[in-house]
Amino acid sequence: MVHCAGCERPILDRFLLNVLDRAWHIKCVQCCECKCNLTEKCFSREGKLYCKNDFFRKFGTKCAGCAQGISPSDLVRKARSKVFHLNCFTCMVCNKQLSTGEELYIIDENKFVCKEDYLSSTSLKEGSLNSVGSIGNNT
Ligand SMILES: [Zn+2]
Ligand SMILES: [Zn+2]
Ligand SMILES: [Zn+2]
Ligand SMILES: [Zn+2]
């Protein structure tokens, strides 16, 4: 009798899946985070199964803005050695998204100000300005 690695009950179904060298009910092969069924690809870590999104959210590169993981389907921006979600890469004053090639000012490592706000704000100029960078693509 084959026992399912997920629910530990015997597998009486005609079809079973082999994952991590063990047999599973088809319905038991699901992401341990969002419980979606993993039919095509699954990722595992320490005997637990994850869908692609949850796997990268938990174990992938972390966004320097919101500290959440970045999945391969997310659009990202890189600034210096840090990676940000596109949505997290915004001007701290006007919240507009900063785009490729745009001049920006980096303040306190993780905060950005667009050029207009920087130029119109005297307190920022006197503040902790670290450097001026330009944005690159994730290539
Ligand atoms: Zn099962
Ligand atoms: Zn999931
Ligand atoms: Zn983020
Ligand atoms: Zn701005």
Side-chain angles (χ1 to χ4, degrees):
M1 182 80 72
V2 183
H3 284 79
C4 168
C7 65
E8 292 172 357
R9 283 195 280 267
I11 302 179
L12 306 166
D13 310 3
R14 196 133 61 98
F15 298 104
L16 54 83
L17 289 173
N18 270 302
V19 182
L20 304 173
D21 295 325
R22 300 185 65 184
W24 301 69
H25 291 115
I26 290 170
K27 67 170 171 50
C28 289
V29 181
Q30 54 181 216
C31 170
C32 69
E33 289 283 316
C34 69
K35 311 294 180 206
C36 68
N37 273 79
L38 302 168
T39 46
E40 290 160 28
K41 252 194 186 164
C42 63
F43 294 77
S44 68
R45 179 71 70 100
E46 289 158 4
K48 288 179 174 169
L49 302 178
Y50 297 89
C51 67
K52 185 168 130 184
N53 280 343
D54 284 319
F55 184 81
F56 283 94
R57 202 162 49 79
K58 282 182 87 79
F59 306 112
T61 311
K62 297 280 190 293
C63 166
C66 66
Q68 297 290 303
I70 293 172
S71 100
S73 56
D74 288 338
L75 293 169
V76 297
R77 295 268 181 228
K78 280 184 177 165
R80 298 154 137 204
S81 58
K82 297 197 164 75
V83 188
F84 296 80
H85 293 117
L86 197 60
N87 291 338
C88 298
F89 202 67
T90 53
C91 168
M92 64 179 272
V93 179
C94 67
N95 282 327
K96 93 169 172 176
Q97 262 181 34
L98 300 161
S99 52
T100 305
E102 195 169 328
E103 253 185 277
L104 74 148
Y105 295 80
I106 301 171
I107 293 163
D108 295 339
E109 289 288 312
N110 292 344
K111 295 184 186 129
F112 306 97
V113 177
C114 69
K115 194 176 178 182
E116 294 97 76
D117 286 324
Y118 175 72
L119 293 177
S120 63
S121 161
T122 46
S123 62
L124 283 174
K125 268 178 252 181
E126 289 159 5
S128 54
L129 181 70
N130 286 315
S131 66
V132 181
S134 66
I135 308 170
N137 273 321
N138 182 32
T139 45

